[in-house]
Structure formats: C-alpha cells, structure tokens
Amino acid sequence: MARAKVVVCPPSILIPLAARELAGTTVAWGGQNLDTHKSGAYTGEVSGPMLKDFGCTYVIVGHSERRSLYGETDQVVAEKFKAAQDAGLVPILCVGELLAEREANHTEQVVARQLDAVVKLAGIAAVANSVIAYEPVWAIGTGKTASPQQAQDVHRFIRARLAASDAKVAAGVRILYGGSVKGSNAEELFGQVDIDGGLIGGASLVAEEFLTICRAAR
C-alpha cells in the first residue's frame, strides 16, 4: 500500500522552524502564499525564491481567503501560479464556489473560470506540475462538509475540464478536497475515484486528528 505524501504549509515566519523540524523526514513543507514578483521593492511580501531559500517545495495559491479577503482575482491567482513554477515551486491551486454560487447552480461555471485563467496564462502542460485543491467556500471552517458524492462530482468536473485540453495531464494531476475534512470523514472522501487527498485546515492543528487523516489517505 502506497504511503501518502504529506506537505505542511505554515505561516511564512514559521517556515524556518518547520524546515528545521522536518529536515530528514519524508514530510515536505511549503508556503501559504507568495507574491507575483520575483524581486523588487515590495516591502512585506514573500517571493518564490525566498520560499525556495528555506527549502520549500510547494506553495498554496488562490486560497479562498486570499480571494475573498484580499481581493485576489483569477488573473492574480494565475500570475501567482506562474510565479511559483518560475521559482521551482509546485503550486497548490485552490478553486471553489461560495454558498450563493452553489445555491444558484453556478459551481461548475465558477470552477471552470478559475481553472481557465490559469490554463490561459501558464498553459495546460504547466498543470501537470501542480496540485489542484477544490475547496467549497461554504464548507471551510463551518463544520459543513460537501457529501462525498458532491465533492466527487466537482472533482470529476475538474478532471474533465482539464481533459478537454489534455487527457494525459488531467489523468495525472492530483486533485485534493478541502472543506472541513476530519478524521471521521476522510476515508470516505478519499475513497472517491477522483479525490486524491485533502487540503486540511483546522483539523491539521490537532496532531492525532491530522495523523488519522494522513492514515486515511494511504
């Protein structure tokens, strides 16, 4: 049975600590965000090369909180995706809909728009060297979780959307589910054919809960 790949993405000021504690283990680490610029006078920002300097191999781009609280548009997220790859990092691209968008049956429209922005800028081949995370915004930190079938439906849509451009890329890309994943529901969620793992939020702060989720991902 294959072992799950585990990546920890702490706040930027804690990356050096994570790097020190995780060195020599099979656990990788990464950032929660990065700037679109490689260098320059952008006080307070963290660039891709800076993350690489501390051994990061991954970085999250387009998290729902970055989109909603900081106004990151699909174009900005696409630019961050490309900046991550230009720095040698694997972007974890977050996509997902608001509750109002789901209730209006616009989930696929929203997710397609978010994916298409990245493909248009970076190209479909770039998606092969990334991870996609579907995070229904209405299920983040609310205790609500998309049912396994609801999550699978969107994951299947994501794979099909990518397959329209390149079937090989679509088949190989890892698509994670993020939205109140817990030890109690991880196994059923990860058992869906198009769900390859989880983007874990609150549950990752409780060690035993996180380990239970990791075991479910094997």
Side-chain angles (χ1 to χ4, degrees):
M1 183 178 294
R3 298 178 67 86
K5 184 172 185 62
V6 179
V7 181
V8 176
C9 295
S12 58
I13 61 171
L14 296 180
I15 289 174
L17 175 62
R20 185 174 74 240
E21 294 298 319
L22 296 174
T25 74
T26 59
V27 179
W29 58 93
Q32 294 183 355
N33 182 40
L34 83 165
D35 190 57
T36 57
H37 300 92
K38 179 178 180 180
S39 61
Y42 302 100
T43 301
E45 293 300 308
V46 176
S47 70
M50 291 165 69
L51 294 174
K52 283 290 289 185
D53 283 347
F54 283 92
C56 291
T57 50
Y58 292 82
V59 62
I60 299 170
V61 299
H63 191 282
S64 62
E65 291 161 4
R66 298 296 312 179
R67 293 179 188 266
S68 64
L69 299 179
Y70 300 96
E72 292 187 3
T73 64
D74 296 337
Q75 179 63 27
V76 167
V77 173
E79 291 172 2
K80 289 191 172 190
F81 181 99
K82 189 173 186 303
Q85 291 193 332
D86 289 347
L89 298 164
V90 177
I92 302 172
L93 171 66
C94 297
V95 298
E97 81 283 13
L98 302 170
L99 179 59
E101 292 167 334
R102 169 164 282 273
E103 291 179 338
N105 293 319
H106 291 163
T107 294
E108 292 185 357
Q109 178 182 334
V110 171
V111 171
R113 187 196 73 222
Q114 294 168 339
L115 287 172
D116 291 352
V118 171
V119 173
K120 181 179 179 181
L121 181 67
I124 186 63
V127 176
N129 189 36
S130 73
V131 177
I132 296 173
Y134 168 57
E135 45 164 16
V137 182
W138 49 272
I140 299 173
T142 63
K144 297 180 180 179
T145 309
S147 71
Q149 188 59 56
Q150 286 176 316
Q152 164 59 21
D153 288 345
V154 181
H155 280 240
R156 182 175 59 240
F157 170 78
I158 291 171
R159 213 175 290 280
R161 186 78 178 186
L162 297 173
S165 297
D166 191 311
K168 184 176 180 181
V169 168
V173 69
R174 289 165 293 176
I175 308 177
L176 313 180
Y177 172 72
S180 296
V181 178
K182 303 181 286 290
S184 59
N185 61 22
E187 186 171 357
E188 187 175 10
L189 284 166
F190 299 164
Q192 303 301 308
V193 65
D194 287 304
I195 299 179
D196 301 318
L199 182 72
I200 315 305
S204 67
L205 302 178
V206 181
E208 189 52 46
E209 187 81 358
F210 185 59
L211 290 172
T212 299
I213 294 169
C214 291
R215 287 190 286 268
R218 290 187 176 184

